[in-house]
Amino acid sequence: MAIWLTLCVLIVVIAYLLGSFPTGYIAVKQLKGIDIREVGSGSTGATNVLRTLGKGPGALVLVLDALKGVLAIALVYWLFNFNPISNYIPPAIDAQLWQPWLITLAGLAAILGHSKSIFLGFTGGKSVAISLGILLAMSWQVGLATAGIFAVVVAISRIVSLSSITGAIAVSIFMVLLHQPLPYILFGIAGGLYVILRHRTNIERLLAGTEPKIGQNVAIPEETI
């Protein structure tokens, strides 16, 4: 039992470290030699990279951040299905009941890592792209449905933050409608609330009518280029 619990804790820690990997920061640093935290919204996520450097780098960071979420959940599936490891599952443990809970913990750890990266002094992004990757690996139906809501809202409003907030609200609804396990529903609630909280300043700008739309790039001060 002790070995199994140690493996579970290790998976959650690795999920956090995966989430912490600063893809946006590294991409912008390599391409422009600047600290993405010092321009735009200060976020290291794909939206700030998009506004700062354009569609190509923004899309790259979006995909890489989503992959971090997929990998975090894939680790849990590997733990339960790779025979040399799964042999350590104690007889008293019901794998079908335990796995969704560990997936939920790993997903939350990855989200936390993305927004509070240990490699960036516990700063980071707003956890939208990585949440999408987690959802697609956790329940592809919920992931696609949430992505669809995001796409519709962004197509109408041209405001990424509004689309992200709407998607964060929709996740819990889709989890219930698609009859997902209780741990996944709790993930939808907790993860959605966290993403919304990470958008506090965006909400203030939305209410003030000053939130930038897609295509409104962020000016980079000359001394940082």
Side-chain angles (χ1 to χ4, degrees):
M1 186 68 169
I3 294 176
W4 175 247
L5 290 175
T6 300
L7 288 171
C8 290
V9 171
L10 183 61
I11 288 292
V12 174
V13 171
I14 294 173
Y16 169 80
L17 294 175
L18 277 171
S20 289
F21 188 77
T23 48
Y25 174 85
I26 292 173
V28 175
K29 199 72 171 178
Q30 291 296 315
L31 291 171
K32 285 292 183 179
I34 62 175
D35 187 338
I36 187 64
R37 296 172 296 174
E38 297 176 356
V39 296
S41 67
S43 168
T44 62
T47 301
N48 201 30
V49 176
L50 169 68
R51 290 174 181 160
T52 305
L53 296 183
K55 294 179 181 178
L60 174 64
V61 171
L62 173 67
V63 171
L64 291 177
D65 281 346
L67 282 175
K68 293 191 305 183
V70 172
L71 286 173
I73 303 307
L75 280 173
V76 181
Y77 289 121
W78 173 80
L79 179 68
F80 277 88
N81 294 287
F82 185 57
N83 285 334
I85 301 296
S86 61
N87 288 336
Y88 286 103
I89 301 177
I93 294 294
D94 186 335
Q96 289 186 336
L97 292 177
W98 188 275
Q99 181 173 286
W101 286 106
L102 188 56
I103 285 174
T104 296
L105 289 175
L108 291 174
I111 287 175
L112 181 63
H114 182 74
S115 59
K116 303 291 182 181
S117 171
I118 193 173
F119 304 117
L120 296 177
F122 299 102
T123 60
K126 297 185 178 177
S127 300
V128 175
I130 193 170
S131 295
L132 175 60
I134 291 167
L135 287 173
L136 288 171
M138 180 182 286
S139 169
W140 64 266
Q141 299 96 328
V142 173
L144 288 180
T146 303
I149 290 293
F150 178 94
V152 169
V153 176
V154 81
I156 295 172
S157 68
R158 309 295 292 175
I159 301 175
V160 175
S161 61
L162 179 61
S163 307
S164 300
I165 293 166
T166 305
I169 295 170
V171 169
S172 300
I173 298 172
F174 287 133
M175 286 291 188
V176 174
L177 291 179
L178 295 173
H179 307 290
Q180 297 302 304
L182 175 61
Y184 293 1
I185 295 174
L186 295 177
F187 172 86
I189 295 171
L193 286 174
Y194 186 70
V195 168
I196 293 170
L197 286 173
R198 293 291 296 170
H199 284 80
R200 290 189 303 273
T201 55
N202 302 86
I203 293 171
E204 291 173 2
R205 289 194 295 269
L206 285 167
L207 293 174
T210 58
E211 180 72 345
K213 295 185 177 183
I214 293 177
Q216 295 177 324
N217 293 339
V218 174
I220 303 173
E222 291 184 3
E223 62 268 22
T224 67
I225 298 178

